[in-house]
Amino acid sequence: MRFEAITWDRLGDLLAERVATLETSDGGPWPRVAFDGAPAARPEDLAERVAEALRVRGCPSLVVGAEGFLRPASVRLEYGHQDVESYYDGWYDTGALRREVFGPLEPGGNGRVLPDLWDPATDRATRSSYVPLPPGGVLLLHGPLLLRHWFPFDLSVHVSLSPGALRRRTPESGHWTLPAFERYERETGPAGTADVLVRADDPRHPAWHG
């Protein structure tokens, strides 16, 4: 696989150009884009760059973070604060994401997306209002482990870190999650599954393929 060196700003522009003309797989009016990556890879930063580049082009978008759909602490921490299996399979409320984020963007949907559901800091519902996304508006969903859930993405971007870079850039308090990302690599192979692959071992000098 051949990678091309690029700046983050240029990458955001190129992805926005691609997204602005993206056709949906189900014929609906709302393209859905994944920005997949471990927290240390900061996929949310790229999602925000693309959102800004789309705004300049007159294309509406909505950035949604998977962390806004964490399950309550009583559920995700049932087997302890550092249970790898729970983190991999049970921390994120994928049912709520399908219902509140993807469901309204299906053909015939109303386009009203719930941007978040649960605040992990307070362990309470956020009570956020629904956000209307007009036809042609783009969903930009960022978070970890996204590509293993068969969400109906029309374009997927994986921000990749080598095992060494992932360990270095993950706070020590989060090292217990590293086996989950090793399993993700083995079982899902996001580097080969994603439509666009961004290598971000050196955050100052990304490279991409796609």
Coordinates of all heavy atoms in Angstrom, one line a residue, residues 16 19-20 30-33 35 46-64 105 111 113 115 131-141:
A16 N -13.3 16.6 2.0 CA -14.6 17.3 1.9 C -15.0 17.3 0.4 O -16.2 17.2 0.1 CB -14.4 18.8 2.4
V19 N -16.6 14.0 -0.1 CA -17.8 13.8 0.6 C -18.9 14.6 0.0 O -20.1 14.2 -0.1 CB -17.6 14.2 2.1 CG1 -19.0 14.3 2.8 CG2 -16.7 13.1 2.8
A20 N -18.6 15.8 -0.5 CA -19.6 16.7 -1.1 C -20.3 16.1 -2.3 O -21.5 16.5 -2.6 CB -19.0 18.1 -1.4
W30 N -28.9 11.6 2.8 CA -27.9 12.0 3.8 C -26.7 11.0 3.8 O -26.7 9.9 4.3 CB -28.6 11.9 5.2 CG -29.7 12.9 5.4 CD1 -29.6 14.2 5.6 CD2 -31.1 12.5 5.4 NE1 -30.8 14.7 5.8 CE2 -31.8 13.7 5.7 CE3 -31.8 11.4 5.3 CZ2 -33.2 13.8 5.7 CZ3 -33.2 11.4 5.4 CH2 -33.9 12.6 5.6
P31 N -25.6 11.5 3.2 CA -24.3 10.6 3.3 C -23.9 10.5 4.7 O -24.0 11.4 5.5 CB -23.3 11.4 2.4 CG -24.2 12.3 1.6 CD -25.4 12.7 2.4
R32 N -23.3 9.3 5.0 CA -22.9 9.0 6.4 C -21.4 8.6 6.3 O -21.0 7.6 5.6 CB -23.7 7.9 6.9 CG -25.2 8.2 7.1 CD -26.1 7.1 6.8 NE -26.0 6.6 5.4 CZ -26.8 5.7 4.9 NH1 -27.8 5.2 5.6 NH2 -26.6 5.2 3.7
V33 N -20.6 9.3 7.1 CA -19.1 9.1 7.0 C -18.6 8.7 8.4 O -18.9 9.4 9.4 CB -18.4 10.4 6.5 CG1 -16.9 10.1 6.3 CG2 -19.0 10.8 5.1
F35 N -15.3 8.3 10.9 CA -13.9 8.7 11.2 C -13.5 7.8 12.4 O -13.8 8.1 13.5 CB -13.8 10.2 11.6 CG -14.0 11.1 10.4 CD1 -15.3 11.4 10.0 CD2 -12.9 11.5 9.6 CE1 -15.5 12.2 8.9 CE2 -13.2 12.3 8.5 CZ -14.5 12.7 8.1
L46 N -10.0 15.3 12.7 CA -10.2 15.2 11.3 C -11.6 15.4 10.9 O -11.9 16.1 9.9 CB -9.7 13.9 10.8 CG -9.7 13.7 9.2 CD1 -8.9 14.8 8.5 CD2 -9.1 12.3 8.9
A47 N -12.5 14.8 11.7 CA -14.0 15.1 11.4 C -14.3 16.5 11.5 O -15.1 17.0 10.6 CB -14.8 14.3 12.4
E48 N -13.8 17.3 12.4 CA -14.1 18.7 12.5 C -13.5 19.5 11.4 O -14.1 20.4 10.9 CB -13.5 19.2 13.9 CG -14.3 18.7 15.1 CD -15.6 19.3 15.3 OE1 -16.0 20.2 14.5 OE2 -16.4 18.9 16.2
R49 N -12.3 19.0 10.9 CA -11.7 19.7 9.8 C -12.5 19.5 8.5 O -12.7 20.5 7.7 CB -10.3 19.1 9.5 CG -9.2 19.6 10.5 CD -7.9 18.9 10.1 NE -6.8 19.3 11.1 CZ -6.1 20.3 11.1 NH1 -6.2 21.2 10.1 NH2 -5.2 20.5 12.0
V50 N -13.0 18.3 8.3 CA -13.9 18.1 7.2 C -15.2 18.8 7.3 O -15.7 19.4 6.3 CB -14.1 16.6 7.0 CG1 -15.2 16.3 5.9 CG2 -12.8 15.8 6.7
A51 N -15.7 18.9 8.5 CA -17.0 19.7 8.7 C -16.7 21.2 8.3 O -17.6 21.8 7.6 CB -17.4 19.6 10.1
E52 N -15.6 21.7 8.7 CA -15.3 23.1 8.4 C -15.1 23.3 6.9 O -15.6 24.3 6.2 CB -14.1 23.6 9.1 CG -13.6 25.0 8.7 CD -14.6 26.1 9.0 OE1 -15.6 25.8 9.8 OE2 -14.5 27.2 8.4
A53 N -14.4 22.3 6.2 CA -14.2 22.4 4.8 C -15.5 22.3 4.0 O -15.7 22.9 3.0 CB -13.2 21.3 4.3
L54 N -16.4 21.5 4.5 CA -17.8 21.4 3.9 C -18.6 22.6 4.1 O -19.3 23.1 3.2 CB -18.5 20.2 4.6 CG -18.1 18.8 4.2 CD1 -18.8 17.7 5.0 CD2 -18.4 18.5 2.7
R55 N -18.4 23.3 5.3 CA -19.1 24.5 5.5 C -18.7 25.6 4.5 O -19.6 26.3 4.0 CB -18.9 25.0 6.9 CG -19.7 26.2 7.4 CD -19.2 26.9 8.6 NE -17.8 27.4 8.5 CZ -17.5 28.6 7.9 NH1 -18.5 29.3 7.4 NH2 -16.3 29.0 7.8
V56 N -17.5 25.7 4.3 CA -17.0 26.7 3.3 C -17.5 26.4 1.9 O -17.8 27.3 1.1 CB -15.4 26.6 3.3 CG1 -14.9 27.5 2.1 CG2 -14.8 27.1 4.6
R57 N -17.8 25.1 1.6 CA -18.3 24.7 0.3 C -19.9 24.8 0.3 O -20.5 24.5 -0.7 CB -17.9 23.3 0.0 CG -16.4 23.2 -0.4 CD -15.9 21.8 -0.4 NE -14.6 21.7 -0.9 CZ -13.5 22.0 -0.2 NH1 -13.6 22.5 1.0 NH2 -12.3 21.9 -0.8
G58 N -20.5 25.3 1.4 CA -21.9 25.4 1.4 C -22.6 24.1 1.7 O -23.9 24.0 1.4
C59 N -21.9 23.1 2.2 CA -22.6 21.8 2.4 C -22.8 21.6 3.9 O -21.8 21.6 4.7 CB -21.7 20.7 1.8 SG -22.4 19.0 2.1
P60 N -24.0 21.5 4.4 CA -24.2 21.3 5.8 C -23.7 19.9 6.3 O -23.7 18.9 5.5 CB -25.7 21.4 6.0 CG -26.3 21.0 4.7 CD -25.2 21.5 3.6
S61 N -23.3 19.8 7.5 CA -22.9 18.5 8.1 C -23.2 18.6 9.6 O -23.4 19.6 10.2 CB -21.4 18.3 7.8 OG -20.6 19.2 8.5
L62 N -23.1 17.4 10.2 CA -23.2 17.3 11.6 C -22.2 16.3 12.1 O -22.1 15.2 11.7 CB -24.6 16.8 12.0 CG -24.9 16.5 13.5 CD1 -24.8 17.8 14.3 CD2 -26.3 15.8 13.7
V63 N -21.4 16.8 13.1 CA -20.3 15.9 13.7 C -20.9 15.3 15.0 O -21.4 16.0 15.8 CB -19.1 16.8 14.0 CG1 -18.0 15.9 14.7 CG2 -18.5 17.4 12.8
V64 N -20.8 14.0 15.0 CA -21.4 13.3 16.2 C -20.2 12.4 16.7 O -19.6 11.7 15.9 CB -22.6 12.4 15.8 CG1 -23.0 11.5 17.0 CG2 -23.7 13.3 15.4
L105 N -31.8 9.0 9.2 CA -31.1 9.3 8.0 C -31.4 8.2 6.9 O -30.8 8.3 5.9 CB -29.6 9.5 8.2 CG -29.3 10.6 9.2 CD1 -27.7 10.7 9.3 CD2 -29.9 11.9 8.9
G111 N -34.6 13.1 9.2 CA -33.3 13.9 9.3 C -33.0 14.5 10.6 O -32.1 15.2 10.8
V113 N -31.5 14.2 14.0 CA -30.5 13.3 14.7 C -30.3 13.8 16.1 O -30.2 15.0 16.4 CB -29.2 13.4 13.9 CG1 -28.1 12.7 14.6 CG2 -29.4 12.9 12.5
P115 N -27.6 14.3 18.8 CA -26.2 14.3 18.7 C -25.5 13.6 19.9 O -24.3 13.3 19.7 CB -25.9 15.8 18.8 CG -27.1 16.4 19.5 CD -28.3 15.6 19.1
V131 N -31.2 17.5 16.3 CA -30.7 18.5 15.4 C -31.1 18.1 14.0 O -30.9 17.0 13.5 CB -29.1 18.5 15.4 CG1 -28.6 19.4 14.3 CG2 -28.6 18.9 16.8
P132 N -31.9 19.0 13.3 CA -32.3 18.6 11.9 C -31.2 18.7 10.9 O -30.5 19.8 10.9 CB -33.4 19.7 11.7 CG -33.0 20.8 12.5 CD -32.4 20.3 13.7
L133 N -31.0 17.7 10.2 CA -30.0 17.7 9.1 C -30.7 17.8 7.8 O -31.4 16.8 7.4 CB -29.1 16.5 9.2 CG -27.8 16.4 8.4 CD1 -26.9 17.5 8.8 CD2 -27.1 15.1 8.5
P134 N -30.5 18.8 7.0 CA -31.3 19.0 5.8 C -30.9 18.0 4.7 O -29.8 17.4 4.8 CB -31.0 20.4 5.3 CG -29.7 20.7 5.9 CD -29.7 20.0 7.2
P135 N -31.7 17.6 3.8 CA -31.3 16.7 2.7 C -30.0 17.2 2.0 O -29.9 18.4 1.8 CB -32.5 16.8 1.7 CG -33.7 17.1 2.6 CD -33.1 18.1 3.7
G136 N -29.1 16.3 1.8 CA -27.8 16.6 1.3 C -26.8 16.9 2.4 O -25.6 16.9 2.2
G137 N -27.3 17.1 3.7 CA -26.4 17.2 4.8 C -25.7 15.9 5.1 O -26.2 14.8 4.9
V138 N -24.5 16.0 5.7 CA -23.6 14.9 5.9 C -23.4 14.6 7.3 O -23.1 15.5 8.1 CB -22.2 15.1 5.2 CG1 -21.3 13.9 5.4 CG2 -22.3 15.5 3.8
L139 N -23.6 13.3 7.7 CA -23.3 12.8 9.1 C -21.8 12.5 9.1 O -21.3 11.7 8.3 CB -24.1 11.6 9.4 CG -23.7 10.9 10.7 CD1 -24.0 11.8 11.9 CD2 -24.3 9.5 10.8
L140 N -21.1 13.0 10.1 CA -19.6 12.8 10.3 C -19.5 12.2 11.7 O -19.5 12.9 12.7 CB -18.8 14.0 10.2 CG -19.0 14.8 8.9 CD1 -18.2 16.2 9.0 CD2 -18.5 14.0 7.7
L141 N -19.5 10.8 11.8 CA -19.4 10.1 13.1 C -18.0 9.7 13.4 O -17.4 9.0 12.6 CB -20.3 8.9 13.0 CG -20.4 8.0 14.3 CD1 -21.0 8.8 15.5 CD2 -21.1 6.7 14.1

